[in-house]
Amino acid sequence: PVIDVDDLEEFAVRPAPQGVTIKCRITRDKKGMDRGMYPTYYLHLEREHGKKVFLLAGRKRKKSKTSNYLISIDPTDLSRGGESFIGKLRSNLMGTKFTVYDNGVNPMKTTSSLEASTLRQELAAICYETNVLGFKGPRKMSVIIPGMNMDHERVSIRPRNEHETLLARWQNKNTESVIELHNKTPVWNDDTQSYVLNFHGRVTQASVKNFQIIHDNDPDYIVMQFGRVAEDVFTMDYNYPMCALQAFSIALSSFDSKLACE
């Protein structure tokens, strides 16, 4: 099936169709004075015959206490106030937990009793844990996303305070209407002396940053996978119920995570 990306804003938050893997790649651009610290990441959809279609761009904000990535549907406009701002990824101070928001209003920054529909949605939360093996083994990720309703539409989660956030729900084991995913544990390979996952040819370079996201009930169904194919090129594939904005943000968190650079 040809994936329709005419309306990028709508496409970015639309869950992948069931039974279809959406194959993308991420390129990291470190050119320019401060790009080493603040590279721009571009997400493209891969089409047949090597064609690529631009989907999203992300870059870390400079004057922010925590890691804060702005995500845009315009590769040239990565400003917070721009028309193209579609979402953001923000970390806690430790850089171990991340939340993905759409472009709605922050409930802390509004005084009026805004209509609920204008409040921002939380689209995902990502938690990194150091592993039991110390720093050398694969790291552990938990990904929490809103659940789906009977019509296969995403449940809308618009927290008004800290207790309603995806992270709070997960930490309080209140997982009704959310889906908890984990990264698949890699298997030790004696030949290469490294931990490996089977990416079926989509990933060509070994890296601690490569990962696959699964649900514990069905470890063979890969909800998302991410891995390196060249120095600054990565593949990112996702399946139902994930959308492009969720998957791209999860990938950005893995570039940033302090635990990710062992």
Side-chain angles (χ1 to χ4, degrees):
V2 174
I3 296 148
D4 170 26
V5 293
D6 289 344
D7 181 344
L8 270 186
E9 194 167 351
E10 193 268 337
F11 173 79
V13 294
R14 185 172 75 220
Q18 284 174 303
V20 179
T21 298
I22 298 190
K23 296 184 174 175
C24 308
R25 65 177 39 204
I26 294 174
T27 43
R28 176 170 55 186
D29 175 11
K30 294 180 179 164
K31 296 184 196 70
M33 285 290 286
D34 59 357
R35 286 286 175 84
M37 282 293 291
Y38 301 98
T40 306
Y41 297 92
Y42 299 104
L43 178 71
H44 285 83
L45 178 69
E46 291 184 1
R47 292 264 199 229
E48 288 73 59
H49 320 303
K51 290 201 182 96
K52 295 192 308 183
V53 182
F54 170 79
L55 296 177
L56 295 168
R59 192 171 74 209
K60 198 178 199 171
R61 293 182 76 172
K62 287 175 190 157
K63 298 188 169 68
S64 190
K65 290 190 196 68
T66 58
S67 291
N68 197 340
Y69 288 81
L70 292 185
I71 299 167
S72 167
I73 49 175
D74 178 345
T76 61
D77 177 13
L78 281 143
S79 63
R80 177 73 174 79
E83 287 287 286
S84 316
F85 168 70
I86 191 174
K88 72 173 190 178
L89 167 76
R90 200 184 65 207
S91 79
N92 63 353
L93 282 168
M94 296 281 293
T96 54
K97 293 184 169 73
F98 294 79
T99 301
V100 183
Y101 303 97
D102 72 359
N103 54 7
V105 178
N106 179 344
M108 304 303 162
K109 291 195 176 150
T110 163
T111 47
S112 63
S113 54
L114 270 173
E115 291 199 18
S117 60
T118 59
L119 286 179
R120 65 186 183 189
Q121 290 191 65
E122 287 194 3
L123 294 175
I126 308 113
C127 301
Y128 291 89
E129 295 160 49
T130 42
N131 51 58
V132 263
L133 308 166
F135 279 111
K136 280 289 171 269
R139 57 187 203 234
K140 194 165 181 274
M141 292 167 72
S142 300
V143 174
I144 303 95
I145 58 174
M148 308 299 278
N149 66 18
M150 301 307 274
D151 298 326
H152 303 295
E153 290 160 348
R154 187 183 306 110
V155 175
S156 142
I157 293 189
R158 302 177 194 269
R160 292 177 175 276
N161 56 51
E162 285 301 310
H163 306 297
E164 297 176 354
T165 64
L166 283 172
L167 282 170
R169 290 171 191 230
W170 178 67
Q171 279 155 346
N172 300 328
K173 302 278 187 283
N174 169 18
T175 47
E176 187 195 347
S177 74
V178 303
I179 300 172
E180 182 177 347
L181 305 164
H182 297 279
N183 62 322
K184 196 168 189 170
T185 309
V187 184
W188 180 257
N189 180 325
D190 271 339
D191 297 342
T192 60
Q193 287 292 298
S194 62
Y195 288 95
V196 291
L197 290 161
N198 183 0
F199 288 92
H200 300 286
R202 290 286 289 156
V203 174
T204 52
Q205 292 195 1
S207 163
V208 287
K209 289 189 164 61
N210 300 349
F211 63 82
Q212 290 177 324
I213 300 287
I214 54 162
H215 192 282
D216 291 349
N217 293 352
D218 187 1
D220 294 328
Y221 180 75
I222 308 293
V223 181
M224 171 191 174
Q225 67 178 20
F226 169 84
R228 172 176 270 167
V229 289
E231 172 65 32
D232 287 309
V233 184
F234 305 80
T235 51
M236 182 198 96
D237 304 340
Y238 67 94
N239 283 294
Y240 181 87
M242 230 176 239
C243 69
L245 181 54
Q246 287 169 324
F248 184 46
S249 302
I250 293 164
L252 288 176
S253 79
S254 84
F255 286 113
D256 194 81
S257 166
K258 303 287 187 295
L259 305 175
C261 37
E262 282 104 66

